Amino acid sequence: MKNRIKNTKYTLLLALMGCLVLLNGCSDDFLEPDPVSIYEPGQTFSTESGLRSLLAFCDRHLKLFYTSGDNNAINPIGTEYIFSDLMVPSAHNYETMLHNVAEGLTPTSVGIGGGRLFNSLLQNHSIWHFWHESYYTIMQANTIIQYVDDIESLDEETRNAYKGRAFFHRAFRYYNLVFQFGDVPLLTKVTEVPKQNYRSTKREAILEMLVQDMEQAVEWVPNQSEEPLVGMVNKGACRMLLSKLYLAMGEYSLAEEQLDMLIDGSEYSLIQGDEFGSFNDGGEPEAWPIDRNVIWDMHRAENKLIPSNTEVILGIVNRGSDTEGFVPMHSMRIYYPFYFENTTSAPKTKDGKQALLNLSRTNSDYVEEYDYLRSLGRGIGTFRPTYYQTHTMWKVNGRMDDTDLRHSSETGNWVHMEDLKVNNKASAQYGEPLTLYDDSGNLLCTDTIRRWYDVPHYKFFLNDPINEARLNSTSYNGATNGGNADFYLYRLAEAYLLRAEAKFYQGNQGGAASDVNEIRNRAKCTELYQGTVTIGDIMDERARELYMEEWRNVELTRVSLCLARSGMPDEWGNTYSLDNFDKQQGTDPNGGSYWYQRVTRCGKIYNGEPISVEGGKINPINYTMDKKNIYWPIFNQSITANRKGNLAQNYGYDGYNFATPKWNTWEEAVADEDRIE
């Protein structure tokens, strides 16, 4: 019976996550323990090898917050970006909840039974994925923390290192959860018996606990130079996370102190110079030549974790065969325009021909010079950047910075559609640049949302050796999707921008500008900030430097809290209150949080306006976001699975009740974990 009880506790914890156990809906039989999987944690994790396997599990699952390996849907990180100022969903299904988030995002529209994780292009989001993946890994981290002290063979230093890394994994997940979902259940231990009476814990209380945990982790976890392997949590990563937690709690000077240690007193330094590591020519240099530069080099997967990379603080190992647990990124399928499909909405030539053909290398019309299929990828345009991300935010001091390597088409880092040339020999425009309009001003691409936009090629290009080896491959059977690749979780450039933030909140705008300019100097920018910066300048620089690295929605929400706490104004002069910055709803332009202001003002797409392109407005699709969407709803499945308790629904969503009791301190929540009803 003891074994059965301990197995059931895991089953019910997963039930809280929304019937994750079965992944195909809930029924009472999921409460029955499975004898095949019954084990005694106290015995399984009584050796160091058992804990090491759990820690490896936590390390490995970091990559699943960025990519799922599903080539018909999205990298999960894409969901973070469509709830920000930098990206929108762009697949066919404009009528889905993904464009009209204000009305379509509900407690029952996502998750198992409502919108399956990757059901189809109708449900291209990972909201459910973030919830269950977070709690699933928190459970593993809690197991390490709970059982590590029972292993007598470990000395104190080793035991504390295990505990510190587990603290990081737990804190990393909770940090993201509280800025995605707000007040959530706090689970810190492996319960001895089934529990169905969880209660939400206030965000502030969870952050307080995380600060204490990460202060310990910074003391206990070794530096990367002392680690036997790359990709394990190290002291630098712990400092990065602790600095973000300090910022969230309003401890700006403490955050600055941690970042000073990373920048000035550690083993890290920015990658500088004109080139770095080994050179990757981009797959097909005849079609898309790369002028070697440091920005291109430092973002190549093969250079991210090499010993000479002094900028990487924590990188994710993800190169190798799928059978070894590495996950395809599919970045060249999901994030590049839908160039090649022969439809009425695809880019056309002035004489009415399809502009770009998906020719295999065995086709008689194939020309290497126009092989965009392999140099730029298969491209289905699931998500696209906003006009702000591709154009507006690259202005500094009111001028477009033409020398910024991160926005440079001259070097090959950046792709403008007009840089591509017609590869259809049937057209009189063959070999000439693509154009958006004909000579009479008529659009030559009627779907400019999905099929006509700029791409930060240096961020998304990945070698795809399996598909690249298929000579007969076209966009319909693979071509270049973007293969497995190492990637950055934390690097020193972000530490500079976090320190700029800490200085800004303390009124040191000059010091903040200096830190931002350090990043701009490395990118060979001409336009530098003179004297002071706004929070908008800092967030713009984060977008330029950390696009598809930072969790953009999470960081915008954290900054919203920081502005409300500090009283500092945003770039438009708005100030915010802790009492209500995240307790408002509506789609009007006034009020809300800083997150809402950035999404509607900068994204210029979630406020119901048509998308703007050079020369006019097209495709008036009603992209709409609500102020309440600063947090995602708590899933109805998780609320109903918690049968003897009452999880709090977020403000503005069906089921919200301001009187729902919550734990005000993390100590109360932890003490309640042993209370069973």
Side-chain angles (χ1 to χ4, degrees):
M1 178 59 70
K2 185 177 182 181
N3 281 345
R4 283 181 172 269
I5 289 175
K6 289 208 168 185
N7 183 70
T8 306
K9 70 191 174 188
Y10 285 96
T11 307
L12 287 173
L13 174 57
L14 295 174
L16 172 62
M17 301 174 209
C19 309
L20 174 62
V21 173
L22 296 182
L23 288 177
N24 60 2
C26 289
S27 62
D28 286 343
D29 59 2
F30 83 90
L31 296 172
E32 294 301 320
D34 176 7
V36 176
S37 65
I38 291 174
Y39 66 95
E40 171 64 65
Q43 296 175 6
T44 304
F45 305 118
S46 60
T47 64
E48 184 177 5
S49 62
L51 292 183
R52 191 184 298 121
S53 67
L54 274 184
L55 190 60
F57 176 95
C58 294
D59 290 337
R60 178 183 180 276
H61 275 242
L62 281 172
K63 68 171 63 73
L64 296 181
F65 284 95
Y66 286 81
T67 177
S68 70
D70 189 304
N71 67 355
N72 287 314
I74 61 168
N75 295 91
I77 193 66
T79 295
E80 267 286 302
Y81 276 75
I82 63 171
F83 283 87
S84 81
D85 48 351
L86 302 182
M87 189 173 275
V88 295
S90 53
H92 291 298
N93 313 95
Y94 300 131
E95 70 276 14
T96 70
M97 77 91 161
L98 285 176
H99 80 279
N100 190 358
V101 175
E103 296 181 4
L105 181 58
T106 71
T108 57
S109 68
V110 291
I112 301 304
R116 295 289 297 276
L117 173 57
F118 293 124
N119 183 36
S120 69
L121 287 178
L122 292 173
Q123 290 293 342
N124 277 329
H125 62 77
S126 293
I127 296 175
W128 163 255
H129 177 84
F130 284 127
W131 177 268
H132 83 72
E133 186 65 32
S134 294
Y135 276 110
Y136 192 42
T137 313
I138 286 168
M139 182 173 68
Q140 318 308 321
N142 285 340
T143 305
I144 296 172
I145 295 165
Q146 185 158 327
Y147 289 100
V148 66
D149 288 334
D150 296 336
I151 302 178
E152 297 179 357
S153 62
L154 299 179
D155 59 41
E156 183 177 7
E157 182 178 359
T158 304
R159 183 179 295 113
N160 286 342
Y162 271 109
K163 196 178 296 184
R165 292 188 181 101
F167 279 159
F168 174 89
H169 282 293
R170 186 169 71 182
F172 179 82
R173 274 71 176 189
Y174 271 123
Y175 173 81
N176 294 306
L177 280 173
V178 299
F179 290 119
Q180 291 172 329
F181 295 96
D183 302 335
V184 297
L186 178 62
L187 284 64
T188 68
K189 60 182 70 172
V190 182
T191 58
E192 292 298 320
V193 293
K195 181 177 175 67
Q196 293 177 288
N197 59 331
Y198 287 99
R199 182 185 294 186
S200 301
T201 300
K202 290 187 176 179
R203 176 200 61 220
E204 202 85 348
I206 295 175
L207 290 172
E208 287 178 2
M209 188 196 79
L210 301 185
V211 165
Q212 293 188 30
D213 287 349
M214 292 311 301
E215 287 174 338
Q216 291 291 325
V218 165
E219 296 298 320
W220 290 340
V221 176
N223 287 306
Q224 179 59 59
S225 59
E226 305 170 77
E227 298 272 18
L229 298 171
V230 172
M232 293 180 66
V233 173
N234 56 58
K235 189 182 296 290
C238 293
R239 288 200 193 282
M240 283 289 286
L241 183 51
L242 178 57
S243 70
K244 293 187 179 191
L245 291 166
Y246 278 147
L247 287 172
M249 293 301 294
E251 299 286 358
Y252 309 124
S253 62
L254 292 179
E256 184 177 354
E257 180 181 320
Q258 291 296 319
L259 295 161
D260 284 344
M261 293 180 192
L262 276 170
I263 294 168
D264 303 319
S266 69
E267 54 196 14
Y268 306 105
S269 60
L270 291 179
I271 295 171
Q272 301 284 5
D274 296 322
E275 58 186 50
F276 172 73
S278 59
F279 179 58
N280 184 319
D281 65 7
E284 185 43 78
E286 290 296 319
W288 192 260
I290 302 296
D291 183 4
R292 188 174 186 183
N293 62 88
V294 68
I295 295 298
W296 174 265
D297 286 346
M298 67 180 288
H299 286 286
R300 301 286 53 80
E302 55 269 29
N303 293 334
K304 289 182 177 180
L305 299 182
I306 60 178
S308 59
N309 191 329
T310 57
E311 184 163 336
V312 59
I313 295 174
L314 181 59
I316 305 301
V317 180
N318 190 43
R319 281 194 297 155
S321 67
D322 294 346
T323 58
E324 295 175 346
F326 300 112
V327 185
M329 304 295 284
H330 296 301
S331 59
M332 300 184 73
R333 176 183 174 92
I334 296 166
Y335 295 117
Y336 284 72
F338 202 8
Y339 306 106
F340 301 111
E341 184 175 320
N342 185 16
T343 67
T344 57
S345 57
K348 297 291 189 296
T349 62
K350 293 180 180 180
D351 53 2
K353 309 295 184 182
Q354 183 177 348
L356 297 174
L357 300 180
N358 58 336
L359 301 174
S360 71
R361 281 168 285 177
T362 58
N363 189 294
S364 60
D365 287 334
Y366 171 81
V367 176
E368 193 175 54
E369 182 182 355
Y370 305 132
D371 187 355
Y372 302 122
L373 202 59
R374 270 151 291 280
S375 57
L376 302 183
R378 189 254 196 265
I380 61 171
T382 306
F383 287 164
R384 60 153 288 159
T386 61
Y387 189 80
Y388 184 81
Q389 196 281 332
T390 58
H391 291 76
T392 312
M393 78 176 191
W394 297 96
K395 289 184 177 180
V396 174
N397 303 323
R399 295 180 289 273
M400 194 69 73
D401 195 325
D402 295 328
T403 64
D404 191 333
L405 287 174
R406 300 164 300 185
H407 196 230
S408 168
S409 61
E410 289 77 12
T411 62
N413 287 352
W414 191 271
V415 177
H416 300 296
M417 293 292 291
E418 296 86 352
D419 296 329
L420 307 181
K421 295 180 180 179
V422 174
N423 71 351
N424 187 345
K425 291 182 178 180
S427 171
Q429 204 177 338
Y430 176 74
E432 297 179 6
L434 267 65
T435 56
L436 183 56
Y437 299 95
D438 65 17
D439 294 336
S440 300
N442 300 309
L443 279 170
L444 295 175
C445 177
T446 58
D447 183 2
T448 59
I449 293 179
R450 191 177 187 185
R451 303 171 193 274
W452 190 283
Y453 57 84
D454 290 3
V455 178
H457 185 52
Y458 74 99
K459 284 280 188 174
F460 292 148
F461 170 78
L462 297 173
N463 288 111
D464 190 354
I466 294 176
N467 284 315
E468 288 166 9
R470 296 171 177 163
L471 293 179
N472 291 320
S473 181
T474 69
S475 68
Y476 300 119
N477 59 19
T480 298
N481 286 329
N484 301 342
D486 299 339
F487 56 93
Y488 296 121
L489 186 71
Y490 292 145
R491 58 187 174 93
L492 195 64
E494 185 178 10
Y496 277 92
L497 297 174
L498 288 170
R499 190 170 70 173
E501 232 190 290
K503 292 176 179 178
F504 170 81
Y505 299 131
Q506 296 175 85
N508 181 10
Q509 281 87 348
S514 177
D515 279 338
V516 174
N517 284 337
E518 284 291 326
I519 306 305
R520 296 189 61 74
N521 278 322
R522 192 264 296 282
K524 314 299 184 187
C525 296
T526 302
E527 298 293 337
L528 301 178
Y529 289 103
Q530 306 298 318
T532 64
V533 289
T534 66
I535 191 63
D537 295 329
I538 296 171
M539 295 309 293
D540 283 351
E541 196 63 30
R542 287 187 67 93
R544 300 178 192 113
E545 181 68 19
L546 302 172
Y547 186 60
M548 299 308 288
E549 292 182 52
E550 66 166 331
W551 288 36
R552 185 66 176 184
N553 167 61
V554 163
E555 294 302 313
L556 277 176
T557 304
R558 177 190 58 76
V559 172
S560 299
L561 173 62
C562 290
L563 288 175
R565 198 187 297 280
S566 69
M568 293 293 288
D570 66 16
E571 57 264 42
W572 302 287
N574 300 318
T575 57
Y576 302 90
S577 168
L578 277 175
D579 294 333
N580 69 355
F581 82 95
D582 56 354
K583 297 292 188 297
Q584 300 179 50
Q585 63 185 109
T587 59
D588 61 285
N590 301 314
S593 60
Y594 181 63
W595 170 88
Y596 180 75
Q597 290 297 317
R598 287 286 301 200
V599 169
T600 54
R601 286 176 182 254
C602 299
K604 286 292 184 185
I605 200 163
Y606 277 118
N607 55 7
E609 294 184 3
I611 294 176
S612 296
V613 296
E614 296 294 341
K617 293 185 175 182
I618 56 169
N619 285 343
I621 296 163
N622 188 31
Y623 286 97
T624 308
M625 196 75 83
D626 194 294
K627 296 167 190 174
K628 70 183 180 186
N629 298 138
I630 187 173
Y631 297 133
W632 300 332
I634 305 300
F635 306 113
N636 186 62
Q637 295 95 329
S638 296
I639 292 175
T640 56
N642 190 47
R643 298 175 180 178
K644 298 180 180 179
N646 192 1
L647 298 185
Q649 184 55 266
N650 283 323
Y651 180 88
Y653 296 102
D654 290 343
Y656 169 75
N657 184 344
F658 75 94
T660 301
K662 302 177 183 179
W663 297 120
N664 294 311
T665 69
W666 65 266
E667 291 91 346
E668 290 176 304
V670 170
D672 182 70
E673 288 186 76
D674 292 327
R675 184 178 65 86
I676 307 299
E677 293 181 355

